[in-house]
Amino acid sequence: MKPATIADYNAARSEPDRRICELLQQEIDRGLPDAEARIWHAHPVWFLADNPIVGYGQLKSCIRLMFWSGQSFSAPGLAPTGTFKAAEKRYTTAEEVDPTALALWLAEAREVQWDYKNIVKRKGRLERLG
């Protein structure tokens, strides 16, 4: 069943994964206070001007943090994922979350954005915003 809120999503995780999710939510909220946070495709995602910026989700063996435009960031530590510009970081414990690195990625996420909001309208072609 789809969670109604990010708190519901986090609460449905096992203890170690819930700690990771709660820490990520806290740091993302701190780094992007003006972003709209909501459940999107059954996962917590933060948006700026309706464009998805960052989110996280449960994989079989970890929690995956994903930045939709992360492959274009200069700050190190993210791995490319998918066929567009997304990049990820995977966590198995809350202690692996580096708040300093996360703050750098969140700062870049505000400045470096690809237009995912209009990807369908553009038939799968991404354009850089800004």
Side-chain angles (χ1 to χ4, degrees):
M1 188 160 126
K2 180 181 169 183
T5 67
I6 293 174
D8 292 341
Y9 180 91
N10 294 347
R13 307 299 109 206
S14 67
E15 172 59 30
D17 291 342
R18 183 172 61 249
R19 289 182 56 230
I20 296 166
C21 291
E22 289 172 348
L23 179 57
L24 291 174
Q25 179 186 9
Q26 173 186 327
E27 294 299 323
I28 295 167
D29 285 343
R30 180 188 335 241
L32 296 172
D34 54 332
E36 176 195 358
R38 66 179 189 252
I39 297 295
W40 190 53
H41 298 288
H43 296 95
V45 177
W46 283 254
F47 296 79
L48 291 173
D50 290 327
N51 199 39
I53 302 299
V54 62
Y56 57 81
Q58 178 83 55
L59 297 179
K60 186 181 280 189
S61 62
C62 65
I63 298 296
R64 175 176 60 180
L65 174 69
M66 189 172 89
F67 288 90
W68 268 254
S69 300
Q71 287 185 32
S72 299
F73 294 178
S74 61
L78 296 173
T81 187
T83 57
F84 293 105
K85 301 292 183 183
E88 67 178 22
K89 181 71 176 176
R90 296 182 179 200
Y91 301 104
T92 57
T93 70
E95 291 73 27
E96 293 173 344
V97 177
D98 178 351
T100 302
L102 184 49
L104 290 172
W105 299 329
L106 291 167
E108 279 204 75
R110 179 179 298 288
E111 303 300 321
V112 178
Q113 292 183 43
W114 290 87
D115 186 8
Y116 282 91
K117 178 175 76 172
N118 294 303
I119 195 169
V120 172
K121 182 169 75 175
R122 291 194 179 108
K123 297 178 173 50
R125 187 172 44 85
L126 277 176
E127 290 186 7
R128 183 104 180 233
L129 294 175

